[in-house]
Amino acid sequence: MSDEWSLLSKIPAILEEQHFVRVPDHEPVVRFEFPEDLKKLVDFTLDSDEPRDQAGVEQIIKQVLQYSVRTGHANFHNQLFAGVDPYGLAGSWITDALNTSQYTFEVGPAFTLIEDALIAKCLQLFGFVEGDGILAPGGSISNMYAMVAARYRALPRVKRTGLANQPTLVAFTSEDAHYSIKKAVHWLGIGIDNLVLVRTDPGGCMIPEELEKAIGTVLASGRQPFFVNSTAGTTVLGAFDPFERIADICERHNLWLHVDSCLGGSAILSRKHSHLLAGVERADSLAWNPHKTLGAPLQCSIFLLKHKGLLHECNSANADYLFQQDKFYDVSYDTGDKSVQCGRKVDAFKIWLMFKARGDCGLAELVENAFDCAEFFTGEVRKRDGFRLVLEQIQYTNVGFWYVPKKLRVPEEQQDDAWWAKIYEVTAIIKERLVKQGSVLIGYVPRPHKKIGNFFRMVVTCHPRPTHSSMKFVIDEIERVGEML
């Protein structure tokens, strides 16, 4: 083995040594440095002509790790993802090492069948009796796949003629939905002005009556509604739209119903919590990101749709250097022409290996533990002095809350706009101090459309496996730092 390849055998040991595998609690989540300071600590420039020896390369790797975020730390709750499932990580390493693509059976024979089996499993999980699917590079692209399919169904000639001289299409989504829907209407030439944001209730769920009203307004304007995006697990509050009622409206108006379950789709694995997704089987399409709650390595996004053959019909370009029809095997296994991409990573192997290793029951237990810990966290916040929930009841594993330091605790009648402005500011300051200390990473968000400023968004995921003790630590740490202000 040459020296350059011998480095690979050392990487697991380096990750262990730098505490990125099975991260001990005493390690910081991050050693934060401001960008200009970090440039002084690590040489990021690429201006050397001479190669480095192996020791030098190892040193560079260790420096990068030293200032990287430990997403596998028990106190990382900053994003909708966190640590990785070890089986998924093994799958990721293997697919990167094999360095193949996913467009034809001949270059990815086993992986083509793996994606096929995974899509079949997911269609069954979400109640799509017939259908098709594909692995996409992230939920935003999965949501865009849905909009492209919906547009093609509404205006099949658009593939050849483009949008010129076509009816003006209009899409609908909730005001709490992910911003990728706004990006999709921009990228697809539909236009942000033709995206209607439907009002939500205080919990962040789309109000069906408001959707019906919005559709009526668009029809009266002479434009053509074609697509409704509903959400299973909104980014901030983890809210689930009422899918049955939204499906009724879509069927009445012949609109494509898509469910963005990139976050909340993992609830389908749990018998106890799958009721949150009741009605999604009536949708035309669905997106699910196992790289969020479930802990598959980034990225792993599954797009499903009910209409078999539509993905190929809609997206195919018939590249004759890849998709020859006179090959010596069944060319229906060449899936690349369904994709908007040419080269495509073998993302399916990561989640497929997790299903194989853990089984449905093992994955369900991981999801149920995350729910249990989120509910425990909510209960602790509810009973602790100085803490205040944004929502009294949560649907998913996101928990929104504020901490009010003792010196700012006043009677309710004195909690005016100026007082709330201080609480919003305190939230940002506590976050800053937690990051600089490296003890906890937790995000904060405002909801301006609801006239609510900054609050903490606690995200509970499956990996690293959360416990009641790790939940209490986050609360204790916020209280400790808050009282030092």
Side-chain angles (χ1 to χ4, degrees), residues 403 405 426 429-435 437 439-440 474-485:
Y403 179 66
V426 161
I429 294 171
I430 293 175
K431 153 79 176 187
E432 176 187 348
R433 295 195 179 185
L434 289 171
V435 172
Q437 293 174 17
S439 59
V440 171
V474 174
I475 297 171
D476 291 341
E477 192 68 359
I478 288 172
E479 183 177 43
R480 182 186 69 79
V481 171
E483 290 308 318
M484 293 172 63
L485 298 180

mmCIF file with all atom_site columns, all heavy atoms in Angstrom, residues 403 405 426 429-435 437 439-440 474-485:
data_model
loop_
_atom_site.group_PDB
_atom_site.id
_atom_site.type_symbol
_atom_site.label_atom_id
_atom_site.label_alt_id
_atom_site.label_comp_id
_atom_site.label_asym_id
_atom_site.label_entity_id
_atom_site.label_seq_id
_atom_site.pdbx_PDB_ins_code
_atom_site.Cartn_x
_atom_site.Cartn_y
_atom_site.Cartn_z
_atom_site.occupancy
_atom_site.B_iso_or_equiv
_atom_site.pdbx_formal_charge
_atom_site.auth_seq_id
_atom_site.auth_comp_id
_atom_site.auth_asym_id
_atom_site.auth_atom_id
_atom_site.pdbx_PDB_model_num
ATOM 1   N N   . TYR A 1 403 ? -36.387 31.958 27.904 1.00 0.00 ? 403 TYR A N   1
ATOM 2   C CA  . TYR A 1 403 ? -35.961 32.013 29.293 1.00 0.00 ? 403 TYR A CA  1
ATOM 3   C C   . TYR A 1 403 ? -35.958 33.468 29.740 1.00 0.00 ? 403 TYR A C   1
ATOM 4   O O   . TYR A 1 403 ? -35.372 34.334 29.072 1.00 0.00 ? 403 TYR A O   1
ATOM 5   C CB  . TYR A 1 403 ? -34.565 31.420 29.511 1.00 0.00 ? 403 TYR A CB  1
ATOM 6   C CG  . TYR A 1 403 ? -34.145 31.530 30.966 1.00 0.00 ? 403 TYR A CG  1
ATOM 7   C CD1 . TYR A 1 403 ? -34.830 30.802 31.943 1.00 0.00 ? 403 TYR A CD1 1
ATOM 8   C CD2 . TYR A 1 403 ? -33.137 32.398 31.368 1.00 0.00 ? 403 TYR A CD2 1
ATOM 9   C CE1 . TYR A 1 403 ? -34.503 30.927 33.279 1.00 0.00 ? 403 TYR A CE1 1
ATOM 10  C CE2 . TYR A 1 403 ? -32.797 32.517 32.705 1.00 0.00 ? 403 TYR A CE2 1
ATOM 11  C CZ  . TYR A 1 403 ? -33.489 31.782 33.663 1.00 0.00 ? 403 TYR A CZ  1
ATOM 12  O OH  . TYR A 1 403 ? -33.181 31.913 34.993 1.00 0.00 ? 403 TYR A OH  1
ATOM 13  N N   . PRO A 1 405 ? -34.692 35.798 32.662 1.00 0.00 ? 405 PRO A N   1
ATOM 14  C CA  . PRO A 1 405 ? -33.853 35.907 33.870 1.00 0.00 ? 405 PRO A CA  1
ATOM 15  C C   . PRO A 1 405 ? -34.625 36.553 35.024 1.00 0.00 ? 405 PRO A C   1
ATOM 16  O O   . PRO A 1 405 ? -35.576 37.314 34.811 1.00 0.00 ? 405 PRO A O   1
ATOM 17  C CB  . PRO A 1 405 ? -32.693 36.796 33.417 1.00 0.00 ? 405 PRO A CB  1
ATOM 18  C CG  . PRO A 1 405 ? -32.660 36.644 31.936 1.00 0.00 ? 405 PRO A CG  1
ATOM 19  C CD  . PRO A 1 405 ? -34.092 36.483 31.514 1.00 0.00 ? 405 PRO A CD  1
ATOM 20  N N   . VAL A 1 426 ? -32.312 39.068 24.976 1.00 0.00 ? 426 VAL A N   1
ATOM 21  C CA  . VAL A 1 426 ? -31.681 38.139 25.920 1.00 0.00 ? 426 VAL A CA  1
ATOM 22  C C   . VAL A 1 426 ? -31.502 36.762 25.282 1.00 0.00 ? 426 VAL A C   1
ATOM 23  O O   . VAL A 1 426 ? -30.475 36.094 25.472 1.00 0.00 ? 426 VAL A O   1
ATOM 24  C CB  . VAL A 1 426 ? -32.527 38.044 27.209 1.00 0.00 ? 426 VAL A CB  1
ATOM 25  C CG1 . VAL A 1 426 ? -32.181 36.782 28.002 1.00 0.00 ? 426 VAL A CG1 1
ATOM 26  C CG2 . VAL A 1 426 ? -32.317 39.280 28.075 1.00 0.00 ? 426 VAL A CG2 1
ATOM 27  N N   . ILE A 1 429 ? -28.458 36.820 23.162 1.00 0.00 ? 429 ILE A N   1
ATOM 28  C CA  . ILE A 1 429 ? -27.231 36.934 23.962 1.00 0.00 ? 429 ILE A CA  1
ATOM 29  C C   . ILE A 1 429 ? -26.887 35.603 24.625 1.00 0.00 ? 429 ILE A C   1
ATOM 30  O O   . ILE A 1 429 ? -25.721 35.185 24.656 1.00 0.00 ? 429 ILE A O   1
ATOM 31  C CB  . ILE A 1 429 ? -27.376 38.055 25.014 1.00 0.00 ? 429 ILE A CB  1
ATOM 32  C CG1 . ILE A 1 429 ? -27.494 39.419 24.319 1.00 0.00 ? 429 ILE A CG1 1
ATOM 33  C CG2 . ILE A 1 429 ? -26.184 38.058 25.965 1.00 0.00 ? 429 ILE A CG2 1
ATOM 34  C CD1 . ILE A 1 429 ? -27.863 40.555 25.264 1.00 0.00 ? 429 ILE A CD1 1
ATOM 35  N N   . ILE A 1 430 ? -27.898 34.924 25.166 1.00 0.00 ? 430 ILE A N   1
ATOM 36  C CA  . ILE A 1 430 ? -27.657 33.605 25.773 1.00 0.00 ? 430 ILE A CA  1
ATOM 37  C C   . ILE A 1 430 ? -27.098 32.646 24.729 1.00 0.00 ? 430 ILE A C   1
ATOM 38  O O   . ILE A 1 430 ? -26.132 31.919 24.985 1.00 0.00 ? 430 ILE A O   1
ATOM 39  C CB  . ILE A 1 430 ? -28.951 33.044 26.407 1.00 0.00 ? 430 ILE A CB  1
ATOM 40  C CG1 . ILE A 1 430 ? -29.371 33.880 27.616 1.00 0.00 ? 430 ILE A CG1 1
ATOM 41  C CG2 . ILE A 1 430 ? -28.750 31.579 26.821 1.00 0.00 ? 430 ILE A CG2 1
ATOM 42  C CD1 . ILE A 1 430 ? -30.703 33.478 28.225 1.00 0.00 ? 430 ILE A CD1 1
ATOM 43  N N   . LYS A 1 431 ? -27.692 32.656 23.542 1.00 0.00 ? 431 LYS A N   1
ATOM 44  C CA  . LYS A 1 431 ? -27.193 31.807 22.448 1.00 0.00 ? 431 LYS A CA  1
ATOM 45  C C   . LYS A 1 431 ? -25.721 32.104 22.172 1.00 0.00 ? 431 LYS A C   1
ATOM 46  O O   . LYS A 1 431 ? -24.894 31.181 22.061 1.00 0.00 ? 431 LYS A O   1
ATOM 47  C CB  . LYS A 1 431 ? -28.040 32.062 21.202 1.00 0.00 ? 431 LYS A CB  1
ATOM 48  C CG  . LYS A 1 431 ? -27.369 31.814 19.866 1.00 0.00 ? 431 LYS A CG  1
ATOM 49  C CD  . LYS A 1 431 ? -27.304 30.363 19.508 1.00 0.00 ? 431 LYS A CD  1
ATOM 50  C CE  . LYS A 1 431 ? -26.711 30.187 18.107 1.00 0.00 ? 431 LYS A CE  1
ATOM 51  N NZ  . LYS A 1 431 ? -26.769 28.811 17.642 1.00 0.00 ? 431 LYS A NZ  1
ATOM 52  N N   . GLU A 1 432 ? -25.381 33.380 22.059 1.00 0.00 ? 432 GLU A N   1
ATOM 53  C CA  . GLU A 1 432 ? -23.996 33.772 21.772 1.00 0.00 ? 432 GLU A CA  1
ATOM 54  C C   . GLU A 1 432 ? -23.042 33.238 22.831 1.00 0.00 ? 432 GLU A C   1
ATOM 55  O O   . GLU A 1 432 ? -21.987 32.677 22.514 1.00 0.00 ? 432 GLU A O   1
ATOM 56  C CB  . GLU A 1 432 ? -23.895 35.296 21.707 1.00 0.00 ? 432 GLU A CB  1
ATOM 57  C CG  . GLU A 1 432 ? -22.479 35.810 21.498 1.00 0.00 ? 432 GLU A CG  1
ATOM 58  C CD  . GLU A 1 432 ? -22.384 37.325 21.600 1.00 0.00 ? 432 GLU A CD  1
ATOM 59  O OE1 . GLU A 1 432 ? -23.434 37.997 21.606 1.00 0.00 ? 432 GLU A OE1 1
ATOM 60  O OE2 . GLU A 1 432 ? -21.237 37.830 21.688 1.00 0.00 ? 432 GLU A OE2 1
ATOM 61  N N   . ARG A 1 433 ? -23.406 33.380 24.095 1.00 0.00 ? 433 ARG A N   1
ATOM 62  C CA  . ARG A 1 433 ? -22.512 32.946 25.178 1.00 0.00 ? 433 ARG A CA  1
ATOM 63  C C   . ARG A 1 433 ? -22.378 31.427 25.231 1.00 0.00 ? 433 ARG A C   1
ATOM 64  O O   . ARG A 1 433 ? -21.308 30.897 25.531 1.00 0.00 ? 433 ARG A O   1
ATOM 65  C CB  . ARG A 1 433 ? -23.003 33.512 26.509 1.00 0.00 ? 433 ARG A CB  1
ATOM 66  C CG  . ARG A 1 433 ? -22.923 35.038 26.545 1.00 0.00 ? 433 ARG A CG  1
ATOM 67  C CD  . ARG A 1 433 ? -23.041 35.594 27.930 1.00 0.00 ? 433 ARG A CD  1
ATOM 68  N NE  . ARG A 1 433 ? -22.928 37.049 27.911 1.00 0.00 ? 433 ARG A NE  1
ATOM 69  C CZ  . ARG A 1 433 ? -22.902 37.808 28.995 1.00 0.00 ? 433 ARG A CZ  1
ATOM 70  N NH1 . ARG A 1 433 ? -22.983 37.252 30.204 1.00 0.00 ? 433 ARG A NH1 1
ATOM 71  N NH2 . ARG A 1 433 ? -22.808 39.115 28.885 1.00 0.00 ? 433 ARG A NH2 1
ATOM 72  N N   . LEU A 1 434 ? -23.452 30.719 24.932 1.00 0.00 ? 434 LEU A N   1
ATOM 73  C CA  . LEU A 1 434 ? -23.389 29.256 24.892 1.00 0.00 ? 434 LEU A CA  1
ATOM 74  C C   . LEU A 1 434 ? -22.433 28.787 23.796 1.00 0.00 ? 434 LEU A C   1
ATOM 75  O O   . LEU A 1 434 ? -21.645 27.855 24.000 1.00 0.00 ? 434 LEU A O   1
ATOM 76  C CB  . LEU A 1 434 ? -24.788 28.677 24.644 1.00 0.00 ? 434 LEU A CB  1
ATOM 77  C CG  . LEU A 1 434 ? -25.798 28.785 25.791 1.00 0.00 ? 434 LEU A CG  1
ATOM 78  C CD1 . LEU A 1 434 ? -27.186 28.379 25.306 1.00 0.00 ? 434 LEU A CD1 1
ATOM 79  C CD2 . LEU A 1 434 ? -25.380 27.943 26.986 1.00 0.00 ? 434 LEU A CD2 1
ATOM 80  N N   . VAL A 1 435 ? -22.498 29.444 22.632 1.00 0.00 ? 435 VAL A N   1
ATOM 81  C CA  . VAL A 1 435 ? -21.610 29.071 21.525 1.00 0.00 ? 435 VAL A CA  1
ATOM 82  C C   . VAL A 1 435 ? -20.162 29.350 21.893 1.00 0.00 ? 435 VAL A C   1
ATOM 83  O O   . VAL A 1 435 ? -19.272 28.520 21.684 1.00 0.00 ? 435 VAL A O   1
ATOM 84  C CB  . VAL A 1 435 ? -21.997 29.832 20.237 1.00 0.00 ? 435 VAL A CB  1
ATOM 85  C CG1 . VAL A 1 435 ? -20.953 29.600 19.144 1.00 0.00 ? 435 VAL A CG1 1
ATOM 86  C CG2 . VAL A 1 435 ? -23.369 29.388 19.749 1.00 0.00 ? 435 VAL A CG2 1
ATOM 87  N N   . GLN A 1 437 ? -18.811 29.531 24.774 1.00 0.00 ? 437 GLN A N   1
ATOM 88  C CA  . GLN A 1 437 ? -18.348 28.604 25.801 1.00 0.00 ? 437 GLN A CA  1
ATOM 89  C C   . GLN A 1 437 ? -18.252 27.174 25.267 1.00 0.00 ? 437 GLN A C   1
ATOM 90  O O   . GLN A 1 437 ? -17.552 26.341 25.849 1.00 0.00 ? 437 GLN A O   1
ATOM 91  C CB  . GLN A 1 437 ? -19.285 28.638 27.001 1.00 0.00 ? 437 GLN A CB  1
ATOM 92  C CG  . GLN A 1 437 ? -19.264 29.955 27.766 1.00 0.00 ? 437 GLN A CG  1
ATOM 93  C CD  . GLN A 1 437 ? -20.317 29.999 28.869 1.00 0.00 ? 437 GLN A CD  1
ATOM 94  O OE1 . GLN A 1 437 ? -20.837 28.970 29.275 1.00 0.00 ? 437 GLN A OE1 1
ATOM 95  N NE2 . GLN A 1 437 ? -20.619 31.191 29.344 1.00 0.00 ? 437 GLN A NE2 1
ATOM 96  N N   . SER A 1 439 ? -20.621 24.967 25.252 1.00 0.00 ? 439 SER A N   1
ATOM 97  C CA  . SER A 1 439 ? -21.331 23.994 26.084 1.00 0.00 ? 439 SER A CA  1
ATOM 98  C C   . SER A 1 439 ? -22.587 23.440 25.426 1.00 0.00 ? 439 SER A C   1
ATOM 99  O O   . SER A 1 439 ? -22.906 22.256 25.567 1.00 0.00 ? 439 SER A O   1
ATOM 100 C CB  . SER A 1 439 ? -21.692 24.615 27.433 1.00 0.00 ? 439 SER A CB  1
ATOM 101 O OG  . SER A 1 439 ? -22.506 25.761 27.251 1.00 0.00 ? 439 SER A OG  1
ATOM 102 N N   . VAL A 1 440 ? -23.309 24.278 24.702 1.00 0.00 ? 440 VAL A N   1
ATOM 103 C CA  . VAL A 1 440 ? -24.555 23.873 24.045 1.00 0.00 ? 440 VAL A CA  1
ATOM 104 C C   . VAL A 1 440 ? -24.682 24.661 22.743 1.00 0.00 ? 440 VAL A C   1
ATOM 105 O O   . VAL A 1 440 ? -24.396 25.857 22.715 1.00 0.00 ? 440 VAL A O   1
ATOM 106 C CB  . VAL A 1 440 ? -25.795 24.164 24.929 1.00 0.00 ? 440 VAL A CB  1
ATOM 107 C CG1 . VAL A 1 440 ? -27.086 23.935 24.144 1.00 0.00 ? 440 VAL A CG1 1
ATOM 108 C CG2 . VAL A 1 440 ? -25.788 23.313 26.192 1.00 0.00 ? 440 VAL A CG2 1
ATOM 109 N N   . VAL A 1 474 ? -29.376 20.883 29.016 1.00 0.00 ? 474 VAL A N   1
ATOM 110 C CA  . VAL A 1 474 ? -29.614 22.059 28.164 1.00 0.00 ? 474 VAL A CA  1
ATOM 111 C C   . VAL A 1 474 ? -30.396 23.119 28.931 1.00 0.00 ? 474 VAL A C   1
ATOM 112 O O   . VAL A 1 474 ? -30.060 24.310 28.907 1.00 0.00 ? 474 VAL A O   1
ATOM 113 C CB  . VAL A 1 474 ? -30.357 21.649 26.873 1.00 0.00 ? 474 VAL A CB  1
ATOM 114 C CG1 . VAL A 1 474 ? -30.743 22.887 26.059 1.00 0.00 ? 474 VAL A CG1 1
ATOM 115 C CG2 . VAL A 1 474 ? -29.500 20.704 26.037 1.00 0.00 ? 474 VAL A CG2 1
ATOM 116 N N   . ILE A 1 475 ? -31.413 22.703 29.643 1.00 0.00 ? 475 ILE A N   1
ATOM 117 C CA  . ILE A 1 475 ? -32.225 23.646 30.418 1.00 0.00 ? 475 ILE A CA  1
ATOM 118 C C   . ILE A 1 475 ? -31.387 24.283 31.528 1.00 0.00 ? 475 ILE A C   1
ATOM 119 O O   . ILE A 1 475 ? -31.414 25.506 31.724 1.00 0.00 ? 475 ILE A O   1
ATOM 120 C CB  . ILE A 1 475 ? -33.455 22.920 31.017 1.00 0.00 ? 475 ILE A CB  1
ATOM 121 C CG1 . ILE A 1 475 ? -34.361 22.406 29.885 1.00 0.00 ? 475 ILE A CG1 1
ATOM 122 C CG2 . ILE A 1 475 ? -34.236 23.848 31.953 1.00 0.00 ? 475 ILE A CG2 1
ATOM 123 C CD1 . ILE A 1 475 ? -35.467 21.494 30.352 1.00 0.00 ? 475 ILE A CD1 1
ATOM 124 N N   . ASP A 1 476 ? -30.631 23.452 32.231 1.00 0.00 ? 476 ASP A N   1
ATOM 125 C CA  . ASP A 1 476 ? -29.785 23.970 33.318 1.00 0.00 ? 476 ASP A CA  1
ATOM 126 C C   . ASP A 1 476 ? -28.760 24.975 32.793 1.00 0.00 ? 476 ASP A C   1
ATOM 127 O O   . ASP A 1 476 ? -28.486 26.000 33.428 1.00 0.00 ? 476 ASP A O   1
ATOM 128 C CB  . ASP A 1 476 ? -29.051 22.818 34.013 1.00 0.00 ? 476 ASP A CB  1
ATOM 129 C CG  . ASP A 1 476 ? -29.972 21.915 34.803 1.00 0.00 ? 476 ASP A CG  1
ATOM 130 O OD1 . ASP A 1 476 ? -31.101 22.345 35.118 1.00 0.00 ? 476 ASP A OD1 1
ATOM 131 O OD2 . ASP A 1 476 ? -29.563 20.772 35.108 1.00 0.00 ? 476 ASP A OD2 1
ATOM 132 N N   . GLU A 1 477 ? -28.193 24.677 31.642 1.00 0.00 ? 477 GLU A N   1
ATOM 133 C CA  . GLU A 1 477 ? -27.146 25.536 31.083 1.00 0.00 ? 477 GLU A CA  1
ATOM 134 C C   . GLU A 1 477 ? -27.724 26.885 30.640 1.00 0.00 ? 477 GLU A C   1
ATOM 135 O O   . GLU A 1 477 ? -27.102 27.936 30.845 1.00 0.00 ? 477 GLU A O   1
ATOM 136 C CB  . GLU A 1 477 ? -26.461 24.821 29.925 1.00 0.00 ? 477 GLU A CB  1
ATOM 137 C CG  . GLU A 1 477 ? -25.188 25.478 29.448 1.00 0.00 ? 477 GLU A CG  1
ATOM 138 C CD  . GLU A 1 477 ? -24.032 25.420 30.439 1.00 0.00 ? 477 GLU A CD  1
ATOM 139 O OE1 . GLU A 1 477 ? -24.207 24.866 31.555 1.00 0.00 ? 477 GLU A OE1 1
ATOM 140 O OE2 . GLU A 1 477 ? -22.963 25.952 30.113 1.00 0.00 ? 477 GLU A OE2 1
ATOM 141 N N   . ILE A 1 478 ? -28.898 26.858 30.033 1.00 0.00 ? 478 ILE A N   1
ATOM 142 C CA  . ILE A 1 478 ? -29.541 28.121 29.633 1.00 0.00 ? 478 ILE A CA  1
ATOM 143 C C   . ILE A 1 478 ? -29.858 28.959 30.865 1.00 0.00 ? 478 ILE A C   1
ATOM 144 O O   . ILE A 1 478 ? -29.634 30.181 30.879 1.00 0.00 ? 478 ILE A O   1
ATOM 145 C CB  . ILE A 1 478 ? -30.812 27.831 28.800 1.00 0.00 ? 478 ILE A CB  1
ATOM 146 C CG1 . ILE A 1 478 ? -30.406 27.315 27.416 1.00 0.00 ? 478 ILE A CG1 1
ATOM 147 C CG2 . ILE A 1 478 ? -31.697 29.086 28.669 1.00 0.00 ? 478 ILE A CG2 1
ATOM 148 C CD1 . ILE A 1 478 ? -31.553 26.819 26.571 1.00 0.00 ? 478 ILE A CD1 1
ATOM 149 N N   . GLU A 1 479 ? -30.345 28.318 31.898 1.00 0.00 ? 479 GLU A N   1
ATOM 150 C CA  . GLU A 1 479 ? -30.647 29.039 33.140 1.00 0.00 ? 479 GLU A CA  1
ATOM 151 C C   . GLU A 1 479 ? -29.356 29.611 33.758 1.00 0.00 ? 479 GLU A C   1
ATOM 152 O O   . GLU A 1 479 ? -29.336 30.769 34.194 1.00 0.00 ? 479 GLU A O   1
ATOM 153 C CB  . GLU A 1 479 ? -31.335 28.093 34.118 1.00 0.00 ? 479 GLU A CB  1
ATOM 154 C CG  . GLU A 1 479 ? -31.771 28.751 35.413 1.00 0.00 ? 479 GLU A CG  1
ATOM 155 C CD  . GLU A 1 479 ? -32.517 27.789 36.311 1.00 0.00 ? 479 GLU A CD  1
ATOM 156 O OE1 . GLU A 1 479 ? -32.086 26.625 36.435 1.00 0.00 ? 479 GLU A OE1 1
ATOM 157 O OE2 . GLU A 1 479 ? -33.550 28.193 36.863 1.00 0.00 ? 479 GLU A OE2 1
ATOM 158 N N   . ARG A 1 480 ? -28.304 28.820 33.780 1.00 0.00 ? 480 ARG A N   1
ATOM 159 C CA  . ARG A 1 480 ? -27.040 29.269 34.370 1.00 0.00 ? 480 ARG A CA  1
ATOM 160 C C   . ARG A 1 480 ? -26.492 30.496 33.639 1.00 0.00 ? 480 ARG A C   1
ATOM 161 O O   . ARG A 1 480 ? -26.140 31.512 34.253 1.00 0.00 ? 480 ARG A O   1
ATOM 162 C CB  . ARG A 1 480 ? -26.013 28.140 34.327 1.00 0.00 ? 480 ARG A CB  1
ATOM 163 C CG  . ARG A 1 480 ? -24.661 28.481 34.968 1.00 0.00 ? 480 ARG A CG  1
ATOM 164 C CD  . ARG A 1 480 ? -23.646 27.371 34.747 1.00 0.00 ? 480 ARG A CD  1
ATOM 165 N NE  . ARG A 1 480 ? -23.216 27.227 33.370 1.00 0.00 ? 480 ARG A NE  1
ATOM 166 C CZ  . ARG A 1 480 ? -22.314 28.021 32.782 1.00 0.00 ? 480 ARG A CZ  1
ATOM 167 N NH1 . ARG A 1 480 ? -21.739 29.016 33.463 1.00 0.00 ? 480 ARG A NH1 1
ATOM 168 N NH2 . ARG A 1 480 ? -21.988 27.818 31.522 1.00 0.00 ? 480 ARG A NH2 1
ATOM 169 N N   . VAL A 1 481 ? -26.449 30.395 32.308 1.00 0.00 ? 481 VAL A N   1
ATOM 170 C CA  . VAL A 1 481 ? -25.914 31.504 31.521 1.00 0.00 ? 481 VAL A CA  1
ATOM 171 C C   . VAL A 1 481 ? -26.836 32.708 31.598 1.00 0.00 ? 481 VAL A C   1
ATOM 172 O O   . VAL A 1 481 ? -26.385 33.855 31.696 1.00 0.00 ? 481 VAL A O   1
ATOM 173 C CB  . VAL A 1 481 ? -25.702 31.054 30.062 1.00 0.00 ? 481 VAL A CB  1
ATOM 174 C CG1 . VAL A 1 481 ? -25.347 32.236 29.178 1.00 0.00 ? 481 VAL A CG1 1
ATOM 175 C CG2 . VAL A 1 481 ? -24.602 29.995 29.990 1.00 0.00 ? 481 VAL A CG2 1
ATOM 176 N N   . GLY A 1 482 ? -28.135 32.459 31.584 1.00 0.00 ? 482 GLY A N   1
ATOM 177 C CA  . GLY A 1 482 ? -29.101 33.566 31.652 1.00 0.00 ? 482 GLY A CA  1
ATOM 178 C C   . GLY A 1 482 ? -28.988 34.362 32.929 1.00 0.00 ? 482 GLY A C   1
ATOM 179 O O   . GLY A 1 482 ? -29.167 35.597 32.907 1.00 0.00 ? 482 GLY A O   1
ATOM 180 N N   . GLU A 1 483 ? -28.680 33.713 34.014 1.00 0.00 ? 483 GLU A N   1
ATOM 181 C CA  . GLU A 1 483 ? -28.573 34.423 35.294 1.00 0.00 ? 483 GLU A CA  1
ATOM 182 C C   . GLU A 1 483 ? -27.245 35.147 35.433 1.00 0.00 ? 483 GLU A C   1
ATOM 183 O O   . GLU A 1 483 ? -27.048 35.931 36.383 1.00 0.00 ? 483 GLU A O   1
ATOM 184 C CB  . GLU A 1 483 ? -28.775 33.453 36.453 1.00 0.00 ? 483 GLU A CB  1
ATOM 185 C CG  . GLU A 1 483 ? -30.212 32.945 36.573 1.00 0.00 ? 483 GLU A CG  1
ATOM 186 C CD  . GLU A 1 483 ? -31.234 34.050 36.597 1.00 0.00 ? 483 GLU A CD  1
ATOM 187 O OE1 . GLU A 1 483 ? -30.986 35.089 37.298 1.00 0.00 ? 483 GLU A OE1 1
ATOM 188 O OE2 . GLU A 1 483 ? -32.269 33.932 35.929 1.00 0.00 ? 483 GLU A OE2 1
ATOM 189 N N   . MET A 1 484 ? -26.308 34.909 34.511 1.00 0.00 ? 484 MET A N   1
ATOM 190 C CA  . MET A 1 484 ? -25.027 35.616 34.554 1.00 0.00 ? 484 MET A CA  1
ATOM 191 C C   . MET A 1 484 ? -25.050 36.927 33.755 1.00 0.00 ? 484 MET A C   1
ATOM 192 O O   . MET A 1 484 ? -24.099 37.686 33.769 1.00 0.00 ? 484 MET A O   1
ATOM 193 C CB  . MET A 1 484 ? -23.916 34.713 33.999 1.00 0.00 ? 484 MET A CB  1
ATOM 194 C CG  . MET A 1 484 ? -23.614 33.505 34.867 1.00 0.00 ? 484 MET A CG  1
ATOM 195 S SD  . MET A 1 484 ? -22.469 32.348 34.075 1.00 0.00 ? 484 MET A SD  1
ATOM 196 C CE  . MET A 1 484 ? -21.002 33.372 33.925 1.00 0.00 ? 484 MET A CE  1
ATOM 197 N N   . LEU A 1 485 ? -26.150 37.184 33.055 1.00 0.00 ? 485 LEU A N   1
ATOM 198 C CA  . LEU A 1 485 ? -26.227 38.377 32.232 1.00 0.00 ? 485 LEU A CA  1
ATOM 199 C C   . LEU A 1 485 ? -26.234 39.643 33.082 1.00 0.00 ? 485 LEU A C   1
ATOM 200 O O   . LEU A 1 485 ? -26.874 39.685 34.139 1.00 0.00 ? 485 LEU A O   1
ATOM 201 C CB  . LEU A 1 485 ? -27.498 38.337 31.339 1.00 0.00 ? 485 LEU A CB  1
ATOM 202 C CG  . LEU A 1 485 ? -27.583 37.187 30.344 1.00 0.00 ? 485 LEU A CG  1
ATOM 203 C CD1 . LEU A 1 485 ? -28.869 37.292 29.548 1.00 0.00 ? 485 LEU A CD1 1
ATOM 204 C CD2 . LEU A 1 485 ? -26.383 37.169 29.416 1.00 0.00 ? 485 LEU A CD2 1
#
